[in-house]
Amino acid sequence: MASEAIKGAKVLMVGAGGIGCELLKTLALSGFRDIHIIDMDTIEVSNLNRQFLFRQSHVGQSKAKVARDAVLKFRPHINIKPYHANVKDPEFNVDFFKQFNVVLNGLDNLDARRHVNRLCLAADVPLVESGTTGFLGQVTVHVKGKTECYECQPKPAPKTYPVCTITSTPSKFVHCIVWAKDLLFAKLFGDKNQDNDLNVRSSDAASSSENVEDVFVRRNDEDIEQYGKKIFDHVFGYNIELALSNEETWKNRNRPKPIYSKDILSDELAQPNGNVDKKCAFDDEFSVSAMASLGMKNPQDIWSLKENSRIFLEALRLFFTHRGKDVGNLTFDKDDQLAVEFVTAAANIRAASFGIPPYSLFEAKGIAGNIVHAVATTNAVIAGLIVIETIKVLQNDIKSYRMTYCLEHPSRKMLLMPVEPFEPNKSCYVCSETPLSLEINTKRAKLKDFVEKIVKAKLGMNLPLIMNSSNLLYEAGDVEDDMVAIYSANLEKVLAELPSPVTGGTMLTVEDMQQEFVCNVNIKHREEFDEEKEPDSMVLSGWTQHVSAPENKDKPAANNGASTSGASVPAAESDEISIVSPTKKRKLTDVPNAPGNEARNHQDELQVIDDEDDLVMLEGNMEGFKKRKLS
Amino acid sequence: MDGDGEELTAQETALYDRQIRVWGADAQRRLSKAHVLVYGMKGTIAEFCKNIVLAGVGSLTLIDDRIASEEAFSSNFLIPPDENVYGGKTLAQLCCDSLKDFNPMVRVSVQKGDLSSFDVEFFNNFDVVVVSSCSLPAKKLANEKCRKISKRVAFYTVDCRDSCGEIFVDLQDYKYSKKKLEETIECHLRYPSFEEALSVPWKELPRKTSKLYFAMRVIEKFEEAEGRSAGEVSVADLPGVLKLKKELCAVQSLNESHVPDTLLERLVTSTLEFPPVCAIIGGILGQEVIKAISGKGDPLKNFFFFDAFDGKGIIENISNSNA
Ligand SMILES: [Zn+2]
């Protein structure tokens, strides 16, 4: 009986955000009595429009804990155990996962989803996975050996932009945002030791790099006004002039126009600065705002070039006068008002240079922060679907498992479209044991590069261990003292010069102890790589995470994730998903060598479950057609 | 368009940030001026109310004079399960107390009285009317009253039984525009009233019409004929319900296989709402009401069905001119 299965079940929820709040409520109402919930986040104002268990007075508190207290008010006698922690913390190991009958994900990022997928596979606990963005959502069921795992299918790749588009030839507003955020903001307020392409391309024509460095460093006694204008004139004026001098670039493009502060703000040059500041007292450093200081209120307004220039200079000034101790170690944060103001203004001024229409701060913030559109209703629907699948999983009703898409526009009269889950992908490097292969220059690439760019960034490992046959090359986490020195020395060595050399033909074993996940990587030596197309100077294949991202209809760059090229937009902040269009064929186009993959291409047409009694359905394997009746 | 030019406050922009990114500041302004009436405070309506209060409608008025009992909170998270708290209070009052907390910018209030007792003038105070858990004649009557008002009042009925749910939508004459690629298309939908929709002969409906549509009509008719209130059926009524189904299918010349006995059995056996279905139906209904108020997006016409057994959420167009 369903009610018995529910009463006796112990479930783990990962995420107490948009989906999580709805899910915890629906689980409690449905009769679940033992729910554990992990979330590392604290409550923010922008959560309150949909995360209905939270109130204004809870802002700043743990989501997991507040969600528990709120649900206990209408279901006082059930057990809800909150963890204000990161699901990737070592305490949540395979043994921890094994105590649950099912794991329910309401996560907001790919990294954590992959981590939970691996733990569920290792612990052999079913996983119900979900995601929403705007009116779209999906729920999938992953049961080891029965259905595909979360990583069996390729996920849309994060959108990346060629470095030269960002540094020299922007054509869309998002290019200007990336420039303002990842190059200019990082250069002025971030870690000075980080590589930064800000001047690399735009100053190809002339100017030694030392000269350029000087411009960005504020001298001890330098007047902040003078400094701000110097920066302004350098990046929007001088750099554009330099770029223009490279005639080749502009043969088939519109020439940008240099912008200098004196031309824009001519009537204000005489005015002494600081007059505005006295009127404006800020409560704390995060309420420091150039808009407030200049008396501008509406974030939906589109500013003129002059307004953008004033915001730019004022925001820059405020960083040095009010947030001086942060300067040098800031990274862009969409919740940092002053940072958003600075980036919006800088992007708009650059856009003006290149003849690109300006955006409001509200829109620019969405693009820069990669804010995912979110509404309460979709989360509520998805939570309901998760509970329905969870009950099937608890009853081991495998035939009834469905993945369900929540659509914005009906397809075959359906707004909620159930589809049969796929069988595991036989060439999945996570849930099968198929080795990967890596092209890399073993005489130039260091072990460190391999760990950062492949093991962590692509394979999603948290605490990796790397072995060359039986020789341990590297291990993260708690390591004996004498090994620490050896491992850090190894990280700095090129692959071919390691104590047990890694060359073409070597098979490396990479393992994550926490995820209890092992995979093998065949090394192929290659001399040259294309700097633009292969910025990592490595090519991993047999790895299914890189399919081109579908264009977002309304806001082209709003839902794109991180890249490895330095100039990039980071992963989305909340409830991010990848919707694979349910009306189209799903293909694994990027894994040509994977055995068994060909069969999938032909077979894996998403098959809608239709209740007409005579419907023929495709089974997702090579056995061909099976006729099946559904009631 | 009165007052459309007013700007959202900084507080509103901060609170509604993520949803403004979905439907725009214009739609948010229209939401904040809309007045919504709901009748019948069960689990599905509770979900719906939560959704539109969070979305930021102007006001929400609740009607349900029934006194709270243990059954009331089985699928309604707005009612505290402590008898010392709920004892003696009406469902509307208890839900109102909880909903007020969700969003201080929305006015939530209670109206006493029975749905049938309100006149046209009363309905004129609202832009959206949603009724649930009431008899067939009461639904038709409320719908007719809304249609007598010169401005358009969007009318909805919603019900969940066992793991099935149904939504009916009447937007009367509904015009809206949508962007397709670069151009803006004007759309015009004509909705039948609840009575008109129900009078469409069953044999004229497409063969694939959701079985739930017919099953809900059979139960509705049964309750009306027996003088029961909505949901007041049990497994003991199954023989009577099956008999009525036979009669209706005969009159309507519909093959009986379109109204499976097993489905009817489910609908009469378990009259409690199934919370996941409340969340799903309450979510879809919330979305439809937001569409109708904001004028953004294609509204569904004119029935929506969900059955947890097959997991499908289906739109059916049941109107005389199936055009
Ligand atoms: Zn897999």
Side-chain angles (χ1 to χ4, degrees), chain A residues 277 280-282 284-285 288 314 316-326 338:
Chain A
D277 195 31
C280 207
F282 300 109
D284 60 82
E285 65 171 37
V288 176
E314 180 64 6
L316 190 141
R317 189 183 72 81
L318 288 171
F319 266 118
F320 281 93
T321 56
H322 286 67
R323 310 255 310 261
K325 64 175 171 25
D326 297 340
L338 193 59

Side-chain angles (χ1 to χ4, degrees), chain B residues 166-232:
Chain B
E166 174 186 80
I167 298 171
F168 163 77
V169 183
D170 176 15
L171 301 182
Q172 304 174 30
D173 237 12
Y174 186 76
K175 288 177 184 151
Y176 65 107
S177 52
K178 61 175 176 183
K179 281 214 173 79
K180 205 161 197 179
L181 301 172
E182 291 305 297
E183 55 182 336
T184 304
I185 306 173
E186 298 298 321
C187 304
H188 185 185
L189 294 173
R190 278 198 188 82
Y191 285 77
S193 69
F194 193 48
E195 180 143 33
E196 286 162 354
L198 264 46
S199 68
V200 176
W202 288 3
K203 62 174 184 297
E204 286 178 18
L205 295 172
R207 192 178 64 89
K208 279 194 163 193
T209 300
S210 171
K211 295 175 170 63
L212 206 44
Y213 172 74
F214 303 112
M216 292 296 269
R217 303 289 80 76
V218 172
I219 306 264
E220 211 169 53
K221 272 273 177 222
F222 180 83
E223 287 174 350
E224 188 189 5
E226 298 280 311
R228 312 274 184 91
S229 54
E232 201 189 329

Side-chain angles (χ1 to χ4, degrees), chain A residues 40-65:
Chain A
M40 68 189 290
D41 283 345
T42 54
I43 296 159
E44 293 175 29
V45 171
S46 64
N47 300 150
L48 302 179
N49 80 319
R50 62 195 186 286
Q51 300 178 15
F52 77 102
L53 299 174
F54 309 145
R55 305 282 174 267
Q56 188 75 41
S57 60
H58 297 134
V59 168
Q61 298 182 40
S62 154
K63 286 188 176 179
K65 289 179 181 163

Side-chain angles (χ1 to χ4, degrees), chain A residues 465 472 474-488:
Chain A
L465 172 153
L472 205 48
Y474 175 73
E475 186 177 357
D478 286 338
V479 180
E480 289 143 51
D481 289 344
D482 51 335
M483 297 309 285
V484 173
I486 297 175
Y487 293 149
S488 44

Side-chain angles (χ1 to χ4, degrees), chain A residues 173 176 303 305 308 343-353 357-360:
Chain A
F173 186 70
C176 302
W303 302 327
L305 180 55
N308 276 302
V343 164
T344 302
N348 276 331
I349 300 167
R350 185 165 171 87
S353 259
Y359 277 61
S360 71

